[in-house]
Amino acid sequence: MKNFRSIIQTISRQPARQAFAVGGVATNQEQAKSFEEVPGPKGIHLWPVLGPILMYKPFTKFTSENNQLLFDSLIDKYGPVVKLRLSELSVLISDPKDIERVFQNEGQYPTNPSMSILKAYEARNGLKPSLSSSNGEQWQRLRSPVNRRLMRPNSATYYLESHNNVADDFVQLLISQEWKAEDQIDLLFRFAAENTGVVVFNTRLGLLNPGSKNKEEIELLQQTRELFNALQKTFNGESIAHSLYRNKTYLEFEKAFNTIKSYVQKHLDKAKEIVEQRKKDNKEVDSDELNLLLSLASEKKLDKDDIRGILETFYTGGSDSVAKAIQCLFYNLAHNPTKQDTLRQEIVRVMGHDTLVTAEALSKMPYLKACIKESFRLIFPTTLGPTRILNTEVVLSGYRIPAGIPIFQAYFRACKHNFSQSDQYIPERWLRSNDGQYNEQIPLIASNPFGHGARQCAGKRLALQMISLATIKVLRKTRIELQPESRNMEFIYKTFVEPKRPLQFTYRKLD
Ligand code: HEM
């Protein structure tokens, strides 16, 4: 019962058509096989409620934490398109060509499923759907101003200096003492929240100040953790009834979200005052302003609730995800010391004695980019890639998938099956030769952890900047090693990927 909820959460919403030749498989709508013929578990396995329950323990060996193994086994058994019952009748795809086709057909307003607990929270508090929970024109109304500000090549560069400072504080703290395994991920979480805070609140939160007594920020951090704990309970099925009534998990989520909301509100109010003052001084914030908070606060087409909702999505979207991504990258580098050495050499060569990592320096570190991409490929950050619900019928691997069927994309599988020596950490595959081609034939669509198309991650550039800075600064000062008990770790999926047991890194200081 527990486990199918995690999937239910993952699923959600909405709506394409067309047909192509796929390696000898059916080619167009007319020739393609019908939806009824899509392979997959049959009979009671397709019943609502019962179907999903039957996929997990005690009926099978799978749990929500190892959903990838379940999906892998289904694809092994049934092929590249599997029909299955999650909260709704859905399909699971894994062929990069199919994934590409879904994106080609996602339309102007790509639809994602939203988190049921967030939907419940917004409905109970009379709030409009926020950026991550909205769809259609409402989504585009919120997303366009964000794109203008954050999807430009230089939009993360604006925060580079502040992010350098955060990374310096992080390394200082990291090497100041020996950290227990469970405190190491907490430190990464603080690092990610501090960096995201610079963007969302336009200020430092002080989460990396040893012994900080800043109560409000400590409470914010604590409640951010609580938010993810509550979310996890909805993903793994511990909480089922949060949509029906205010159960314990819902109350925890509500308390956490209220804390984040009022913190965002406070900073938005301040930003509005600055914008008003600038108007009075005839120095109006212009549309090219790169400061996200100030520029959103001056946006005429958005009201205060819209802006607050966007900022909340950013703050929550940017903390856990980045912390876990850095953890996996450090794990891969520690496991592969020669790759770590090669990366350190690149860093030292580009940086020399400079301490400020500039945009120019980042542009000269292809091996760093390759290390990050390979880490995402090898340990994919989420159970699946983005889910889409298309508005028109689409033909996938020779089967007609009607409009409105949630399409789950097994990116992790595409990452495994379309690469040579795919269980090895080989950043070199992502390096380009002089003609601009990758060293290896790579189906790009299969390995984009940030999603794709109009709805791809709005914080991608910021996330990559944070991860790069943490890596550069840590590798310049230390050699990352793993204690024996943390080697060959199993990774499981909660909201994001994490090690089954806390990882014990040793950061050995370099001369
Ligand atoms: C390693 C870190 C991260 C990963 C793996 C990640 C991944 C993703 C993915 C897969 C999506 C859905 C994309 C789609 O449906 O095509 C998404 C959406 C989003 N992400 Fe991230 N993300 C990360 C970091 C961040 C950061 C740092 C921020 C903000 C500072 C952020 C903000 C958002 C927002 C606002 C959305 C919603 C976009 C929308 O619905 O229009 N993410 N992210």
Side-chain angles (χ1 to χ4, degrees):
M1 190 71 173
K2 263 180 145 189
N3 306 312
F4 86 92
R5 294 281 155 191
S6 75
I7 309 202
I8 287 172
Q9 271 293 347
T10 324
I11 323 171
S12 120
R13 343 180 178 165
Q14 77 159 226
R17 134 188 57 209
Q18 112 175 39
F20 298 80
V22 185
V25 191
T27 62
N28 55 40
Q29 249 96 355
E30 288 70 42
Q31 292 168 332
K33 293 184 183 159
S34 70
F35 184 58
E36 284 64 41
E37 293 170 278
V38 176
K42 299 267 182 304
I44 55 170
H45 294 273
L46 288 181
W47 288 12
V49 184
L50 192 58
I53 292 173
L54 292 177
M55 290 197 285
Y56 293 100
K57 268 186 177 165
F59 305 101
T60 67
K61 60 178 181 184
F62 303 109
T63 68
S64 63
E65 287 182 352
N66 62 23
N67 257 329
Q68 286 196 349
L69 297 179
L70 165 68
F71 295 143
D72 240 352
S73 76
L74 288 171
I75 298 165
D76 283 342
K77 185 163 178 189
Y78 297 108
V81 188
V82 181
K83 181 162 64 185
L84 71 173
R85 165 67 68 173
L86 298 170
S87 71
E88 296 166 54
L89 202 56
S90 311
V91 293
L92 174 67
I93 62 170
S94 56
D95 185 324
K97 295 195 198 84
D98 287 336
I99 293 176
E100 200 166 332
R101 190 150 312 133
V102 168
F103 286 124
Q104 283 163 354
N105 287 276
E106 67 179 7
Q108 201 182 350
Y109 312 127
T111 299
N112 267 350
S114 69
M115 293 173 277
S116 59
I117 198 160
L118 178 60
K119 261 167 112 173
Y121 174 83
E122 290 174 342
R124 284 173 191 151
N125 290 282
L127 301 170
K128 286 184 274 185
S130 57
L131 179 62
S132 64
S133 61
S134 58
N135 278 308
E137 289 183 18
Q138 161 69 357
W139 167 77
Q140 198 190 35
R141 201 176 67 77
L142 300 175
R143 178 76 195 220
S144 306
V146 169
N147 284 349
R148 276 211 314 281
R149 271 118 198 161
L150 282 182
M151 299 312 275
R152 289 184 290 190
N154 64 345
S155 39
T157 313
Y158 175 78
Y159 294 102
L160 194 50
E161 194 172 337
S162 315
H163 283 171
N164 262 276
N165 294 335
V166 174
D168 287 336
D169 291 350
F170 166 68
V171 179
Q172 201 60 36
L173 198 54
L174 186 74
I175 60 176
S176 67
Q177 64 179 84
E178 303 258 308
W179 295 88
K180 284 194 279 181
E182 45 287 9
D183 295 335
Q184 293 190 358
I185 182 63
D186 181 62
L187 207 54
L188 286 172
F189 191 73
R190 283 168 181 259
F191 168 77
E194 184 79 26
N195 270 312
T196 310
V198 166
V199 178
V200 173
F201 308 122
N202 200 22
T203 186
R204 289 288 302 262
L205 299 175
L207 301 172
L208 297 168
N209 296 352
S212 166
K213 303 247 169 6
N214 210 342
K215 274 194 189 150
E216 217 183 336
E217 282 69 29
I218 291 171
E219 177 64 5
L220 176 73
L221 186 74
Q222 180 57 25
Q223 290 305 323
T224 312
R225 286 198 200 94
E226 296 295 334
L227 186 89
F228 282 103
N229 288 341
L231 260 185
Q232 176 53 23
K233 288 183 196 160
T234 69
F235 291 151
N236 71 9
E238 259 178 69
S239 171
I240 294 166
H242 53 265
S243 302
L244 301 174
Y245 73 99
R246 290 177 149 88
N247 68 357
K248 190 165 170 280
T249 304
Y250 176 81
L251 291 172
E252 288 162 3
F253 181 90
E254 187 168 63
K255 182 174 176 214
F257 214 100
N258 283 345
T259 305
I260 296 170
K261 185 158 142 249
S262 57
Y263 198 85
V264 171
Q265 188 67 58
K266 187 175 99 173
H267 285 275
L268 179 56
D269 289 344
K270 273 193 204 161
K272 285 266 181 203
E273 279 169 24
I274 296 174
V275 169
E276 285 311 312
Q277 189 57 46
R278 287 216 194 161
K279 259 192 217 158
K280 283 185 199 150
D281 299 344
N282 286 330
K283 290 182 191 151
E284 218 165 321
V285 176
D286 66 37
S287 56
D288 281 339
E289 169 66 53
L290 288 168
N291 182 300
L292 181 73
L293 179 61
L294 284 187
S295 94
L296 285 177
S298 63
E299 176 67 59
K300 296 184 180 66
K301 292 185 187 144
L302 298 175
D303 66 27
K304 251 185 166 182
D305 288 348
D306 293 330
I307 304 170
R308 205 199 52 246
I310 293 173
L311 294 169
E312 285 159 5
T313 311
F314 267 82
Y315 176 68
T316 50
S319 39
D320 206 28
S321 56
V322 170
K324 302 278 171 61
I326 298 174
Q327 176 170 239
C328 290
L329 176 61
F330 284 9
Y331 172 85
N332 284 316
L333 291 173
H335 241 275
N336 296 275
T338 52
K339 311 288 179 195
Q340 187 182 154
D341 287 345
T342 309
L343 175 56
R344 188 176 294 99
Q345 282 157 17
E346 176 180 87
I347 293 169
V348 171
R349 193 172 57 245
V350 174
M351 293 292 296
H353 293 292
D354 294 347
T355 47
L356 185 77
V357 182
T358 60
E360 195 193 351
L362 285 173
S363 72
K364 292 182 183 156
M365 295 190 193
Y367 198 73
L368 171 63
K369 286 192 193 80
C371 286
I372 297 173
K373 284 185 175 164
E374 180 68 352
S375 184
F376 278 131
R377 184 198 67 78
L378 190 60
I379 308 178
F380 200 75
T382 48
T383 305
L384 295 162
T387 305
R388 292 288 188 263
I389 304 166
L390 304 179
N391 286 316
T392 53
E393 185 181 89
V394 67
V395 174
L396 300 176
S397 279
Y399 294 96
R400 297 161 65 146
I401 311 301
I405 294 288
I407 303 174
F408 290 87
Q409 314 195 35
Y411 269 37
F412 73 91
R413 169 111 180 176
C415 285
K416 256 195 313 199
H417 287 246
N418 297 281
F419 294 82
S420 63
Q421 297 174 273
S422 68
D423 58 340
Q424 304 292 310
Y425 182 70
I426 310 180
E428 287 73 11
R429 68 174 100 241
W430 295 98
L431 295 177
R432 293 174 193 267
S433 51
N434 291 340
D435 60 359
Q437 299 297 312
Y438 282 118
N439 281 349
E440 182 174 324
Q441 278 284 339
I442 287 179
L444 287 180
I445 205 82
S447 58
N448 194 344
F450 295 98
H452 182 81
R455 196 146 194 174
Q456 66 179 285
C457 175
K460 175 177 170 175
R461 291 177 193 281
L462 290 164
L464 291 170
Q465 181 163 291
M466 298 175 201
I467 299 166
S468 302
L469 289 177
T471 311
I472 294 171
K473 307 247 175 190
V474 169
L475 286 201
R476 276 188 105 187
K477 290 244 152 87
T478 75
R479 170 167 294 110
I480 310 175
E481 293 173 5
L482 269 176
Q483 290 296 307
E485 69 273 16
S486 295
R487 299 186 68 79
N488 302 312
M489 182 61 73
E490 184 183 335
F491 283 81
I492 56 170
Y493 286 84
K494 295 216 166 158
T495 307
F496 288 94
V497 69
E498 61 179 58
K500 194 155 187 182
R501 295 183 311 283
L503 292 173
Q504 183 71 60
F505 290 108
T506 302
Y507 295 94
R508 223 169 274 295
K509 282 190 212 167
L510 297 168
D511 301 333

